[in-house]
Amino acid sequence: MNILKKALSVMLIMSLIFTAAACSQDETSESGSSDTVTVTDHAGNEVTVPKNAERIVVCDILPLPSVLAVFFDSAEKIVGMSSNSMSAAENGLLGELYPEILNAETGFINGAEVNTEELLKLSPDVVFYSASNPALGEQLTGAGFNAVAISVNKWSYNCIETLENWISLISEIFPDNDKTEAVSKYSNEIYDMISERVSSVPEDEREKVFFLFKYSETDLLTSGQNFFGQWWADAIGAVNASSELTQDNQVAVNMEQVYKWNPETIFITNFTPAYPEDLYNNTVGNYDWSGIDAVKDKKVYKMPLGMYRSYTPGADTPVTLLWMAKTTYPELFEDIDVVEYAIEYYESVFGVTLTAEQAGSIFKPAETVGEGF
């Protein structure tokens, strides 16, 4: 009988030990899951990252550092980014609002080539890269980094939809800063207001616009129907002069084609150092713009740059769209003050307070911002 009692006692003790161990394991598991979040990135990969990531690196998705800085209203988490992202920060509003971003490292990346040894020195919790560069994604994950793919063209170059999806994914990773609803609401209100106003413009009176994406002595690049320029033109009720071009991304053209299209308005991006005066005065190469209607009527404009180069999706997208609509059809938007809208947008959506001078600078980009492209 004593032997039986002893055996039962041993079994009871063992049971308690196993139960305690199981509970401890469950608690550890639950604690571990609370420290991470698993998301599906824009390349369809499931990625698990620390929920409260403190060190962020952005590789070849150039507008994203600016979006992250505005999302957090701080750039302290951004420890690495491309030199092209840095040049926009140095020449735009971003570096003024968040001077800490100017301390981010850029030496780990050259174009789309990443030195993983240099990247490792930054000890990133999460690394963002372009979804159009799956080879880089494999390189990063193979080296042990938490790599998240971000797309610029998954939504047919629709800048508003793309920004919404960027904010949605970032909000999944950083749920305490969720701004998905606020960004979507404001962006679509601007888009719908513009659509309603330009709907009154007859098809045969719609402004013919041309996007000068890059411009130098050797290159004249624009946007055909498969790049951001087409979306901008459609969104403001204009006609993309070069829509007959079907190549994806930027397309090289010559002056003969430009004369054939004869645009009425020209928008110059910040991916080139060219300014309207370069077209008015034919100061670049052997190009002659003097016979183009947009040049004759002095309707050549440099696109805005606040947080990043506004031709791409980014935090500035809604106010850029409003500026472009007013620039193209001033009589339809004469009641709109784009500076006031910029101030309201950044305050109401991101909690970022801009002075009138800062907001105004968005629409007067520095001449040095296109250098390096």
Side-chain angles (χ1 to χ4, degrees), residues 22-256:
C23 288
S24 175
Q25 228 175 14
D26 288 343
E27 287 172 9
T28 301
S29 174
E30 289 172 9
S31 172
S33 66
S34 69
D35 293 336
T36 62
V37 59
T38 299
V39 299
T40 300
D41 69 14
H42 295 161
N45 307 308
E46 281 199 354
V47 185
T48 300
V49 300
K51 185 175 288 183
N52 296 308
E54 292 296 328
R55 298 181 65 79
I56 299 172
V57 169
V58 182
C59 293
D60 55 344
I61 184 79
L62 304 183
L64 195 64
S66 61
V67 174
L68 288 165
V70 174
F71 179 83
F72 294 118
D73 194 15
S74 167
E76 291 181 358
K77 292 178 182 285
I78 303 168
V79 297
M81 62 184 187
S82 164
S83 59
N84 285 330
S85 297
M86 180 63 79
S87 69
E90 291 171 337
N91 290 284
L93 190 55
L94 191 66
E96 179 182 341
L97 292 177
Y98 309 110
E100 64 271 23
I101 202 169
L102 304 178
N103 297 323
E105 294 291 336
T106 60
F108 71 96
I109 184 169
N110 181 17
E113 297 293 323
V114 172
N115 184 322
T116 51
E117 291 183 2
E118 291 299 314
L119 178 56
L120 188 61
K121 295 177 183 177
L122 301 180
S123 302
D125 297 317
V126 59
V127 180
F128 292 101
Y129 70 97
S130 173
S132 62
N133 191 356
L136 177 55
E138 292 176 8
Q139 178 189 355
L140 293 170
T141 54
F145 297 106
N146 301 316
V148 178
I150 301 289
S151 179
V152 295
N153 58 5
K154 187 174 182 178
W155 298 278
S156 303
Y157 294 108
N158 181 318
C159 292
I160 282 182
E161 193 174 354
T162 302
L163 175 61
E164 289 177 350
N165 279 280
W166 287 2
I167 295 295
S168 176
L169 180 56
I170 295 168
S171 294
E172 286 185 58
I173 299 174
F174 302 97
D176 291 345
N177 294 78
D178 192 345
K179 292 181 174 62
T180 307
E181 185 178 349
V183 169
S184 179
K185 182 176 182 294
Y186 196 98
S187 298
N188 284 287
E189 284 177 357
I190 292 289
Y191 181 88
D192 292 343
M193 181 263 283
I194 292 170
S195 296
E196 182 180 356
R197 294 195 183 195
V198 301
S199 64
S200 63
V201 182
E203 290 289 335
D204 60 351
E205 294 180 19
R206 301 213 158 193
E207 191 84 352
K208 188 187 297 184
V209 301
F210 178 78
F211 291 88
L212 190 54
F213 180 67
K214 288 186 181 178
Y215 184 52
S216 69
E217 291 186 0
T218 56
D219 294 308
L220 200 170
L221 278 65
T222 190
S223 168
Q225 61 183 255
N226 293 308
F227 204 26
F228 297 115
Q230 184 66 52
W231 180 81
W232 288 113
D234 291 342
I236 62 169
V239 175
N240 179 16
S242 53
S243 61
E244 67 187 60
L245 304 174
T246 59
Q247 298 96 315
D248 188 53
N249 211 296
Q250 55 194 294
V251 185
V253 295
N254 56 45
M255 283 305 301
E256 184 179 354

